[in-house]
Amino acid sequence: MSENGSQPARTPDKQNPARSLDAHVDRYAQRTAGMTASEIRALFAVASRPEVVSLAGGMPNLAALPLDSLAAEVSHLVAQDGQVALQYGSAHGVPQLREQICEIMALEGISAHPDDVMVTVGSQMALDMVTRIFCDPGDVVLAEGPSYVGALGSFAAYQADVVHVAMDDDGLQPEALRQAIAEVTARGGRIKFLYTIPNFHNPGGVTLAVQRRAEVLEICAQHGILVLEDNPYGLLGFDGQTYPALRSTDPDNVVYLGSFSKTFASGLRVGWVLAPHAVREKLVLAAESATLCPPTLNQMIVSRYLSTHDWKGQIKVFREQYRERRDAMLGALEQHMPEGCSWTCPDGGFYVWLTAPEGVDTKAMLPRAVTQRVAYASGTGFYRDQLGSRQMRLSYCYPTPERIREGVRRLANTLTEEMELVRTFGTTGRRSVPGPQAPSPDTA
Amino acid sequence: MSENGSQPARTPDKQNPARSLDAHVDRYAQRTAGMTASEIRALFAVASRPEVVSLAGGMPNLAALPLDSLAAEVSHLVAQDGQVALQYGSAHGVPQLREQICEIMALEGISAHPDDVMVTVGSQMALDMVTRIFCDPGDVVLAEGPSYVGALGSFAAYQADVVHVAMDDDGLQPEALRQAIAEVTARGGRIKFLYTIPNFHNPGGVTLAVQRRAEVLEICAQHGILVLEDNPYGLLGFDGQTYPALRSTDPDNVVYLGSFSKTFASGLRVGWVLAPHAVREKLVLAAESATLCPPTLNQMIVSRYLSTHDWKGQIKVFREQYRERRDAMLGALEQHMPEGCSWTCPDGGFYVWLTAPEGVDTKAMLPRAVTQRVAYASGTGFYRDQLGSRQMRLSYCYPTPERIREGVRRLANTLTEEMELVRTFGTTGRRSVPGPQAPSPDTA
């Protein structure tokens, strides 16, 4: 079949028959129906080409890490304590690290006992374990709209239904929370917990106002709803500010998730969960069946890093880098974005949430943006319903300020062309539902 | 209440109110009902006291690892490639490691493409992910009786029912497999897969005879039952022998699990799953929701170790150590065990499975054994039903030969006393169901 005799003939089905036919299709569990490749992941291959400015990913910038001194510490660890570091540990986690984690959490007002901390393989595993012990199929999880795509993935894996709660520039709206609870309760739904990222929201870029925190906790306590507080960015406030953790106010009704992925090194996969004692016991049992134990070496690396390095100084360096990048992005957005666009102004964390003018479908536009050598995460991936089609998440964590400015310039061009198409032909995509639950515009 | 005025008075409920009252008890998912602390884990605290010879755990002996050269390699890795090693990776795993894994599997006759391998946080996570994508509540998993306690934990976490299949000295009995399938099918049960450890079974200590392998595969294929082959010990045959993997014969119907925990370092938590292409795609989606990605650093450490060290020579060293320990255990059992005891004679792996005379309840006896400073894993933990009460698993992987001999001597004394009690008072425990599905005695 090939014109060129030197190449073997290939037809699509012969090339990879497994892709077109899955012999196991009738065997999968029902939960696999909810497992779909996230739009962001699907985009990784193309967006990671060097000519494309990726504003899509959430990779922390590790360039500032002191690799040489880290290498020396890790080497010492393996040579001196290798018999322990390379051996199985407990599912609960290394005791010394759990003590240090308590010291870190104290920075946000949390008073906790190391026994109530469990170390996990990134806070993603903590999310998965919490969902595992609480959610039966059909149970409801409340979550901000938009919400963290990895959390939505865990909830889907346990067949929990997600009901989104609207945010504004001050984060989760208490009134919207009350409404959501009333609606779910009225239709007989069983709410298991409120999943919330109070600080420097992913992807919203907003922070739950301090004066709202007590109210949110009170609403949940009133209705017997557990709060799952996810706080990977809490120490990355650009002015060095921290906010009181929800857990600090209501220890009995909040399960708290933390991570070293954004303040130290994501590739070590070390996160944690702090939970009321009885819940923590259940979590350890669940974790044993999931991974037996988190990697011992990685826990000891983090523990040693915390003991031997100026980790607070390192976080300050990260903060300053991210602030510079945030400034680069906001400046470029102001300069280049066409009229009708709006976006959030984060004072910490990694993300800006942008809303395009009506008629623009950011998912449909994405291939055109990539053609113009810029990538972003389209908004629909951050909802379990069809919302977010006018929105996109822009990350400033990884590219340099110069690349961020160039990326925003390209994105502005793409959007301008898209809006011309919209004016000429109407909507450009099939799914143009606007995103009323998205944070309100902030064009200040 | 205290006689001694210097100690504060403590009542049990005041001491730890959380233990006696769980405010969240009505919120847990149904699956938590199946989550119980494994008998082995519950024992760890007491069994790890230095004066106790623990024949209970499954910790590999890492004393022979070349820690200094490993430390140098890891240091080089962090200093040179830290930006990659400490960063997020893909849920699929590091490509170079997946290629090397294919070379390792080739030693047991497996021909595989690196695309079809997914790296996991130990093979425990692989077990968990396979169960996640295949098992709805009430689905049936067939597994040898006894079976690996961690696998039973994963199956319970997804509310799958386990039906045990009898073994003898040649491993899983094909006839018993046929019977189990017929029985489950007759009562309308839906069998999702056969979970089997063909080589150097944990805890059985037996190996599936080569001539049985084709038959087991054929039975499963005939009945549309997937085979989940768990092979952590395959390269630890004491004569350097390997057996053809089930996967090598039936690539389309076998999902294969491998691990570096027993051949390199358990504390790194690096395992893998090899699956038909479409299944592997589902597994990657499931793994994203579980941990985002396995730790990058750990995968690169293993990859580098495989490239720069004589890993086959290292496995030979492990094998010889474990053979010496196995010999120590079998010799001591021959010398000390009272009449009526029988045990398996493993030719690889970590474990001997011992059957005590009728009337002995190994779980009830355990506290008395620990008082005599020896610990083991009682048999009931390796079944989902009430079987195994006369059995125990003895590990020879971790203690030195001298300690093993001393431990067996103590255990023999305990058993002898126990049997005197049985002769005097009848059975010593409440659950004295014998274990007909256990491997048959081998007192040769």
Side-chain angles (χ1 to χ4, degrees), chain B residues 10-29:
Chain B
R10 286 187 152 189
T11 57
D13 49 342
K14 272 188 186 163
Q15 198 174 343
N16 197 337
R19 283 186 199 276
S20 52
L21 181 66
D22 179 1
H24 308 277
V25 72
D26 294 330
R27 291 172 171 166
Y28 296 120

Side-chain angles (χ1 to χ4, degrees), chain A residues 132-156:
Chain A
R132 180 178 293 201
I133 70 162
F134 282 112
C135 291
D136 286 313
D139 282 349
V140 173
V141 171
L142 302 175
E144 285 120 353
S147 186
Y148 167 51
V149 64
L152 299 181
S154 265
F155 304 152

Side-chain angles (χ1 to χ4, degrees), chain A residues 380-396:
Chain A
T380 47
F382 302 95
Y383 290 90
R384 284 300 283 179
D385 45 34
Q386 294 298 307
L387 292 172
S389 66
R390 262 172 71 195
Q391 275 79 26
M392 63 178 73
R393 188 189 73 177
L394 302 178
S395 313
Y396 49 80

Side-chain angles (χ1 to χ4, degrees), chain A residues 248-290:
Chain A
S248 70
T249 308
D250 191 353
D252 295 332
N253 200 42
V254 176
V255 171
Y256 175 97
L257 309 185
S259 173
F260 291 102
S261 289
K262 276 77 183 185
T263 53
F264 178 30
S266 48
L268 294 176
R269 314 300 301 116
V270 182
W272 72 87
V273 50
L274 167 68
H277 192 83
V279 174
R280 199 275 300 151
E281 286 185 337
K282 286 261 188 307
L283 288 171
V284 168
L285 290 178
E288 281 181 4
S289 70

Side-chain angles (χ1 to χ4, degrees), chain A residues 314-331:
Chain A
Q314 183 65 48
I315 289 178
K316 190 159 176 284
V317 170
F318 283 138
R319 265 197 327 248
E320 284 166 3
Q321 281 184 343
Y322 293 132
R323 180 171 55 192
E324 189 192 356
R325 287 159 194 226
R326 187 268 324 248
D327 290 344
M329 178 167 279
L330 292 182

